[in-house]
Amino acid sequence: EDKVVQSPLSLVVHEGDTVTLNCSYEVTNFRSLLWYKQEKKAPTFLFMLTSSGIEKKSGRLSSILDKKELFSILNITATQTGDSAIYLCAVVGGSSNTGKLIFGQGTTLQVKP
Amino acid sequence: DAGITQSPRYKITETGRQVTLMCHQTWSHSYMFWYRQDLGHGLRLIYYSAAADITDKGEVPDGYVVSRSKTENFPLTLESATRSQTSVYFCASSRGGGSYNEQFFGPGTRLTVL
């Protein structure tokens, strides 16, 4: 059975801290891995990763994929209270090329002032 | 440019009633998806559609029905609502179904079944 597991499930940090969120997966026919940020509304897209070892960056956020060890990490440096959200990892894969996303449970990040 | 919209945003219904959640997108995306989000389970795929008149089951399809007569609309119907269907429902769309097409999400519908 295809699965995506995120850790930790929740995290509380203070502003200025650096955090690392983990996503491991066991998915047949892996095609890509996506990170989303969800505040009190719909998930919004952060990154899509398809190749190992190539870091994607957007401001204080960065992510990298390891297709050999089947995991990805999302780093957030110099955290701010606006980073408080649920971070979702999802993998595109499975037996048919339908773009279905298999989601992890999410990591709830709280950044305290 | 409205993007992807869902209606209603909030709905309270009773066990056994039929409920339809609407999803509309203005991008002419081929693929559309319905997810439910519950604490501890993340987002789970209910149904998806690759094009008008083409639909397929996702991970948790039981108790739900979908149709897609037009590319822009993808309604989700709960034929006889149960308390276990209390959840937040998200509709999403993507340009294609392959590996490289990110999904865009609607604002969600919070459904409570009493």
Side-chain angles (χ1 to χ4, degrees):
Chain A
E1 183 185 343
D2 296 329
K3 63 180 179 180
V4 177
V5 177
Q6 292 184 245
S7 64
L9 293 181
S10 66
L11 191 56
V12 180
V13 301
H14 287 92
E15 274 192 316
D17 288 348
T18 293
V19 298
T20 298
L21 309 183
N22 302 292
C23 176
S24 64
Y25 61 90
E26 292 178 28
V27 175
T28 55
N29 299 318
F30 172 91
R31 294 181 175 88
S32 58
L33 185 146
L34 292 84
W35 283 97
Y36 285 86
K37 177 182 181 182
Q38 185 179 23
E39 298 171 87
K40 294 189 178 187
K41 47 190 177 180
T44 53
F45 174 78
L46 293 175
F47 298 112
M48 179 183 288
L49 303 156
T50 56
S51 302
S52 279
I54 297 174
E55 187 183 46
K56 293 269 182 108
K57 290 198 75 169
S58 176
R60 296 176 293 103
L61 278 67
S62 64
S63 184
I64 197 161
L65 173 67
D66 186 328
K67 289 167 74 172
K68 182 180 176 185
E69 300 297 329
L70 307 184
F71 77 91
S72 173
I73 59 172
L74 175 69
N75 278 320
I76 309 174
T77 58
T79 52
Q80 301 171 358
T81 55
D83 295 326
S84 296
I86 300 172
Y87 290 85
L88 297 165
C89 172
V91 173
V92 180
S95 56
S96 58
N97 191 28
T98 58
K100 288 190 293 184
L101 291 174
I102 304 161
F103 279 88
Q105 320 95 300
T107 294
T108 300
L109 173 66
Q110 183 183 359
V111 181
K112 292 187 171 181
Chain B
D1 184 0
I4 182 165
T5 57
Q6 293 182 236
S7 62
R9 295 292 313 280
Y10 302 90
K11 177 74 177 178
I12 299 174
T13 191
E14 294 178 336
T15 301
R17 292 200 181 253
Q18 184 179 79
V19 177
T20 296
L21 309 184
M22 303 302 293
C23 179
H24 176 78
Q25 52 103 354
T26 59
W27 294 308
S28 298
H29 282 172
S30 296
Y31 281 76
M32 296 186 75
F33 307 82
W34 273 107
Y35 296 90
R36 59 178 291 174
Q37 187 173 34
D38 306 289
L39 206 60
H41 289 280
L43 281 153
R44 292 181 291 175
L45 182 66
I46 305 170
Y47 269 95
Y48 66 99
S49 168
D53 297 321
I54 301 174
T55 63
D56 206 351
K57 295 178 181 179
E59 184 185 353
V60 289
D62 293 343
Y64 303 95
V65 174
V66 293
S67 62
R68 191 150 176 227
S69 57
K70 293 184 178 181
T71 300
E72 60 267 30
N73 296 324
F74 191 37
L76 175 75
T77 297
L78 288 67
E79 295 187 296
S80 178
T82 64
R83 289 199 180 95
S84 65
Q85 292 177 310
T86 292
S87 187
V88 179
Y89 291 84
F90 287 101
C91 178
S93 70
S94 67
R95 195 166 49 235
S99 320
Y100 307 100
N101 287 285
E102 66 184 89
Q103 291 184 17
F104 296 89
F105 286 80
T109 294
R110 184 175 292 277
L111 176 67
T112 302
V113 183
L114 301 176

